[in-house]
Amino acid sequence: MATAQYRTLLEQIVHEGPWTVEETCREFEIRAQQMKESATLSPRQLARWMRGDVGQARAVAQRVAEAFWGHRFEVLLGLPHELAEFELRNGTAAPGLSVDVESLEAAAVMAAHESFEHAARIAGTVDSDDISLLQESVLELARGYQTKPPLQLLTEARHIRNVAYLLLDKTRRPAQTSQLYQVAGQACGLLSVVSFDLARWDAAEEQARSARTYAELIGDAHLEAWSRGTQAVIANWRGQSRRAVDLIASSIDAAPAGASTARLRAIEARAWAELGRPDQVKESLRLADIEMGQSQDSELYSAAGGEFGWGQSRHSACAGTALLTVGQGKPAVTRIQDAIALVPEDPLGGLAPARAQVDLATAELLAGRLDASVNALESVWTIPAPSRRHGVTGRMEQLSHRLTSRDWRDSAEAVDLRDQIEIFNSEAVSRLALPSA
């Protein structure tokens, strides 16, 4: 939707954000509790704010709103296109932003999106060049996934998906329809991972199912296997590890050999680990390693790299996590260290080194080496708050829990590390201060 169609910046943020109005109100009140402020927000009140009808907004509500959305209250109620000018004039750019670089870049990207969407809407026919641009855009977004904050990825992936929808309404050519369904499926797949990174489990599951549906429509076995694997990852993180195993079992026979199947087996190992089945973990990893040895770089989702890739670094990291979960610290350290070492030379990419570093810290702690655990986290602390994905913060929370065990509860260094982790994770809430791009 074009910026001019929004009445306020707040309306733009809410409509382009990951939550419904009701969910936004709940999150607002959670933030108020975290701030120890007595502020509530009803859907009706939020609707008034979104259209600029504030009346006598309480000072406490304004304070929470500014912390929650990352802009001064008068900016939130102003017109979207006035944001950059206002903040440049008043020196109130949102935390973590450089107005003269990042805000202008975001504005340029948004303007390009609006132009492309409008052109797609008014065009009488579907241009093959537009489809090619979408195909490259979604794969480029997958390749650069780890370099962008989640909310920026959310905006860009949704833009690609929406343009694909527009073009699907304008063509009946089977070849074009198939290409556009593939783009829509890939965009939904990325939206699923973004939702996962924001710990929005229901949204992540819905997007993964949508990606799988598009894959089934066009017979894209790679995308179907990738989507099923993503559903299993989500289920595992939600504490539904048995369902994750079942999802893999129902997908494995139809999955292409090589990287696609290796990914499924590695995810299966993670699920068996959560279920406390070390023998099954060992067998799943054995089968995963065999498939990985047979993978071909020419496979679409391997060749695409990034979030669709499954290279040796990501494979080893996933194996290390599974081993770590069942308490096999020494082999876990070996696999995780291999994963980190392989990142620079892995052409497929996809591994977020920070996740592996947290796993390494946990493995070192399991081996009784607190100093090594602290050292492994050195690069993790530098991650900007808006880029702290759930894959990192969730692992940090697990590490913090291990620090409360009898072995470490009386250690001053362990207590300090727990406090540092708590601050690190609490700051991640500020990721919602990011503007739409």
Side-chain angles (χ1 to χ4, degrees):
M1 184 181 292
T3 300
Q5 293 178 267
Y6 295 113
R7 291 166 292 187
T8 64
L9 172 63
L10 179 59
E11 186 175 42
Q12 179 184 1
I13 290 173
V14 172
H15 281 309
E16 295 189 358
W19 302 323
T20 64
V21 168
E22 290 76 16
E23 290 171 339
T24 300
C25 290
R26 286 198 297 270
E27 295 294 332
F28 178 97
E29 292 179 357
I30 290 173
R31 186 60 182 273
Q33 292 171 4
Q34 293 171 339
M35 295 173 63
K36 295 181 170 51
E37 296 276 21
S38 179
T40 60
L41 182 63
S42 68
R44 185 175 180 182
Q45 183 180 0
L46 177 56
R48 289 200 302 269
W49 285 6
M50 288 163 61
R51 63 175 180 263
D53 179 14
V54 180
Q56 298 297 320
R58 296 168 59 211
V60 63
Q62 293 187 38
R63 287 197 300 272
V64 176
E66 290 175 351
F68 183 62
W69 283 297
H71 300 291
R72 292 181 59 178
F73 197 71
E74 58 263 44
V75 176
L76 289 168
L77 271 61
L79 295 175
H81 68 268
E82 293 180 346
L83 174 62
E85 179 183 353
F86 182 96
E87 294 191 340
L88 280 168
R89 186 172 64 249
N90 291 275
T92 57
L97 290 180
S98 172
V99 173
D100 59 336
V101 177
E102 294 184 22
S103 292
L104 295 180
E105 181 181 353
V109 171
M110 178 172 283
H113 288 350
E114 292 167 356
S115 299
F116 194 8
E117 289 187 27
H118 184 263
R121 188 175 294 111
I122 66 172
T125 60
V126 175
D127 192 320
S128 59
D129 288 342
D130 288 343
I131 297 178
S132 296
L133 179 58
L134 280 182
Q135 291 174 317
E136 178 55 33
S137 294
V138 73
L139 295 183
E140 185 64 28
L141 194 61
R143 287 189 286 267
Y145 188 90
Q146 297 299 334
T147 66
K148 297 182 179 182
L151 290 186
Q152 182 180 350
L153 289 160
L154 180 75
T155 299
E156 295 190 21
R158 184 164 55 180
H159 157 71
I160 293 170
R161 183 203 61 185
N162 289 349
V163 173
Y165 288 166
L166 284 172
L167 297 181
L168 277 166
D169 288 338
K170 294 178 177 294
T171 184
R172 292 297 179 267
R173 295 181 181 179
Q176 290 187 334
T177 298
S178 180
Q179 290 171 327
L180 289 168
Y181 275 137
Q182 185 183 59
V183 169
Q186 291 167 341
C188 287
L190 293 178
L191 286 169
S192 175
V193 181
V194 172
S195 299
F196 171 89
D197 283 337
L198 295 170
R200 298 297 176 254
W201 309 117
D202 289 343
E205 172 67 21
E206 286 184 31
Q207 294 288 3
R209 285 204 309 268
S210 297
R212 192 187 79 203
T213 297
Y214 291 127
E216 291 172 343
L217 278 173
I218 60 175
D220 187 336
H222 288 287
L223 180 57
E224 184 177 352
W226 185 91
S227 302
R228 283 277 194 170
T230 300
Q231 284 185 275
V233 170
I234 295 164
N236 202 39
W237 273 92
R238 298 184 81 169
Q240 302 169 356
S241 299
R242 174 56 64 177
R243 177 170 177 262
V245 169
D246 292 341
L247 281 165
I248 299 299
S250 66
S251 310
I252 206 74
D253 289 341
S260 291
T261 298
R263 177 175 181 265
L264 290 175
R265 289 297 189 189
I267 294 168
E268 181 184 52
R270 293 271 298 275
W272 282 125
E274 292 293 340
L275 293 168
R277 301 285 296 276
D279 290 344
Q280 293 289 351
V281 170
K282 182 178 179 180
E283 177 62 11
S284 293
L285 290 181
R286 183 185 71 83
L287 294 172
D289 289 342
I290 291 172
E291 291 291 338
M292 200 62 194
Q294 298 174 353
S295 65
Q296 300 293 320
D297 290 346
S298 60
E299 294 176 13
L300 171 61
Y301 293 96
S302 290
E307 199 54 34
F308 289 138
W310 191 255
Q312 287 292 346
S313 61
R314 202 166 193 178
H315 183 76
S316 294
C318 192
T321 303
L323 293 168
L324 177 61
T325 304
V326 290
Q328 297 182 16
K330 188 173 181 179
V333 168
T334 299
R335 294 297 292 255
I336 296 166
Q337 288 177 335
D338 287 346
I340 295 170
L342 285 166
V343 169
E345 58 190 61
D346 189 346
L348 304 180
L351 174 65
R355 299 181 188 184
Q357 291 291 161
V358 180
D359 278 349
L360 180 59
T362 304
E364 295 287 10
L365 188 69
L366 189 63
R369 297 186 288 265
L370 179 57
D371 288 346
S373 180
V374 171
N375 291 337
L377 294 174
E378 185 175 343
S379 62
V380 178
W381 305 121
T382 63
I383 301 173
S387 296
R388 293 173 190 173
R389 294 170 161 83
H390 183 73
V392 172
T393 59
R395 282 172 166 82
M396 292 288 267
E397 185 176 350
Q398 293 169 355
L399 174 58
S400 180
H401 180 71
R402 287 181 181 270
L403 288 165
T404 64
S405 70
R406 185 170 53 190
D407 293 336
W408 305 110
R409 68 177 57 161
D410 296 326
S411 166
E413 190 176 10
V415 172
D416 289 343
L417 182 55
R418 288 204 309 271
D419 290 344
Q420 195 171 358
I421 290 173
E422 182 179 354
I423 294 170
F424 178 89
N425 280 1
S426 66
E427 289 174 346
V429 177
S430 67
R431 60 188 164 204
L432 291 180
L434 281 173
S436 297

